[in-house]
């Protein structure tokens, strides 16, 4: 873990961690017992926030059939619903840095947790598909801004523990994702079998997450990049870089697979005869694979000059998992869930490659913004297309074939993105 922290500090925060972080830690944390108390409170806030970044999506996936029946929603509209998360992440996520400069990162995250809780509480009861989508968008807006700012807060407040804190944050995110997938169905049963209560109950977790952030919301801080005092950062023409485009497409295709999985995999198992509770557990297994592999894959990736072998291994796992899902979805359900969980770990690999494909902190920031915003836009049509294919074909054969087919270009562009090159060499203005 220490090696990973050192590597992350060298590759991801080579310019921003050097001087601006230490003064902020001192001014916001205080000294002695006060500093220790605030640090522990901040760690708690980070963990609680990370736990809330995916349950809105995976809890809906576990109850998608009940939601469709309750709202009279077609499969195509359900596909649109599963496309909303990446759309909101692309649209609202880009506003997070500006909001943080205006109000402070702590205040924005606190507001994000409040938006998540409010959206989760009202969306099952607003009535009608359009209102359900609007409440979902409110929830996802809160997730989007928190998604962007949480890693920034980790790097700024814990400059000497970036690896361990990022690992804790990633583990909490994966745990929240898997827990919502696993317990939503039995929790709904315990609440009388009402899907509205089963979805709304997750608002309580978001309400708890607001509490520690109230302290940091009151302590506004400047969010400007102070290392620009040493000179303006080099501006890259990022669209000139083949590596940047390869990484953006890789990010987009892995996000497509992830949101299709979160939105539809439980339903695929249920349609093959798997009970609803077991289908939720299978989705949870897929999601929880990200807990250990989020530690292993980045550390392995930084030790290799070319990340292509890891990309290939993840792609092969995905192809085998989809083949099994097509040929014997119920009989080998646990194996397919594990294999698809391994394939979905392309996300931490993509984030690691963002840090490795640029030499400077400014380059990492520009590459990250381009790869993630472009990638999320690329991922929007996938879940919707799955819903359309399912509705018009009457089965899961064509949607699963599409999912498997997308693994091929994902693997190809991932191998290109994994080459030992930097965007500064390709895109200097």
């Amino acid at each position: 873990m220490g090696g990973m922290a050192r590597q992350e500090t060298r590759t991801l925060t080579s310019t921003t961690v050097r001087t601006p972080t230490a003064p902020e830690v001192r001014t916001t944390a205080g000294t002695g017992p006060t500093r220790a108390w605030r640090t522990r409170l901040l760690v708690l806030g980070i963990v609680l926030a990370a736990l809330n970044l995916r349950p809105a999506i995976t809890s809906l996936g576990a109850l998608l059939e009940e939601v469709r029946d309750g709202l009279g929603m077609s499969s195509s509209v359900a596909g649109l619903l599963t496309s909303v998360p990446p759309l909101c992440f692309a649209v609202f996520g880009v506003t997070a840095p500006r909001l943080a400069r205006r109000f402070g990162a702590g205040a924005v995250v606190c507001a994000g947790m409040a938006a998540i809780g409010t959206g989760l509480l009202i969306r099952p009861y607003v009535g009608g598909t359009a209102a359900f989508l609007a409440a979902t968008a409110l929830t996802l807006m809160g997730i989007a801004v928190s998604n962007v700012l949480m890693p920034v807060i980790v790097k700024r407040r814990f400059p000497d523990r970036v690896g361990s804190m990022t690992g804790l944050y990633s583990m909490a995110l994966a745990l929240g994702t898997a827990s919502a997938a696993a317990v939503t169905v039995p929790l709904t049963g315990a609440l009388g079998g009402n899907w509205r209560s089963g979805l709304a109950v997750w608002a309580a977790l978001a309400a708890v997450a607001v509490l520690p952030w109230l302290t940091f919301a009151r302590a506004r801080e400047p969010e400007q990049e102070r290392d620009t005092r040493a000179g303006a950062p080099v501006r890259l023409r990022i669209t000139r870089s083949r590596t940047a485009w390869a990484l953006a497409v890789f990010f987009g295709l892995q996000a497509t697979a992830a949101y299709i999985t979160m939105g539809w995999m439980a339903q695929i198992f249920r349609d093959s005869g798997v009970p609803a509770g077991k289908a939720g557990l299978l989705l949870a297994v897929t999601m929880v694979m990200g807990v250990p592999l989020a530690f292993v894959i980045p550390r392995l990736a930084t030790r290799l000059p070319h990340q292509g072998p890891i990309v290939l291994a993840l792609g092969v796992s995905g192809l085998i998992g989809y083949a099994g899902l097509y040929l014997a979805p119920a009989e080998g359900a646990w194996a397919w869930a594990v294999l698809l969980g391994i394939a979905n770990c392309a996300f931490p690999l993509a984030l690691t490659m963002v840090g490795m494909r640029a030499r400077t902190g400014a380059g990492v920031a520009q590459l990250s913004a381009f790869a993630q915003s472009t990638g999320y836009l690329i991922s929007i049509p996938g879940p919707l297309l799955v819903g359309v294919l399912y509705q018009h074909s009457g089965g899961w054969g064509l949607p699963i074939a599409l999912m498997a087919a997308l693994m091929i270009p994902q693997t190809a562009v991932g191998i290109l993105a994994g080459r030992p090159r930097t965007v500064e060499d390709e895109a200097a203005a």
Side-chain angles (χ1 to χ4, degrees), residues 95-307:
T95 68
R98 184 181 303 173
L99 291 172
R101 287 192 296 269
R102 176 69 176 85
F103 301 104
V108 177
V109 172
C110 184
M113 294 297 108
I116 293 170
T118 302
L120 287 174
L121 182 63
I122 67 173
R123 75 171 177 176
Y125 303 106
V126 288
T129 299
F132 188 92
L133 287 169
T136 298
L138 174 62
T139 299
L140 294 171
M141 179 175 64
I143 295 174
V145 295
S146 303
N147 253 344
V148 172
L149 293 179
M150 290 303 297
V152 174
I153 291 171
V154 167
K155 292 172 188 177
R156 176 168 291 144
R157 303 300 183 91
F158 301 93
D160 56 341
R161 288 180 282 166
V162 172
S164 58
M165 288 303 301
T166 301
L168 181 64
Y169 163 79
S170 300
M171 182 179 67
L173 192 151
L175 183 61
T177 305
S179 297
V183 307
T184 295
V185 171
L187 191 58
T188 301
L191 294 172
N194 188 327
W195 63 267
R196 300 179 192 274
S197 300
L199 291 182
V201 71
W202 293 101
L205 182 62
V208 172
V210 171
L211 300 178
W213 287 103
L214 290 172
T215 298
F216 301 99
R218 291 195 296 268
R220 285 178 49 193
E221 300 173 9
E223 300 293 329
Q224 291 84 0
E225 290 288 342
R226 298 179 186 176
D227 58 334
T228 57
R229 290 176 299 182
V234 176
R235 185 69 184 175
L236 302 176
R237 296 183 180 178
I238 202 73
T239 55
R240 287 184 173 183
S241 170
R242 295 181 180 179
T243 298
W245 277 108
L247 192 51
V249 177
F250 178 68
F251 192 96
L253 291 176
Q254 68 80 27
T256 299
Y259 286 109
I260 289 174
T261 298
M262 285 188 281
W264 289 108
M265 197 175 83
Q267 190 63 50
I268 293 174
F269 283 124
R270 290 179 68 172
D271 286 351
S272 69
V274 175
K278 183 179 177 181
L281 286 174
L282 288 165
L283 179 58
V285 167
T286 299
M287 298 296 104
V288 84
M289 292 300 298
V291 176
L293 292 181
F295 288 97
V296 175
I297 289 177
R299 189 168 188 175
L300 178 60
T302 56
R303 293 180 177 180
L304 296 175
H306 193 312
Q307 288 72 50

Side-chain angles (χ1 to χ4, degrees), residues 403-418:
M403 297 179 219
L406 290 176
M407 290 301 303
I408 298 173
Q410 176 182 319
T411 302
V413 294
I415 291 173
L416 291 176

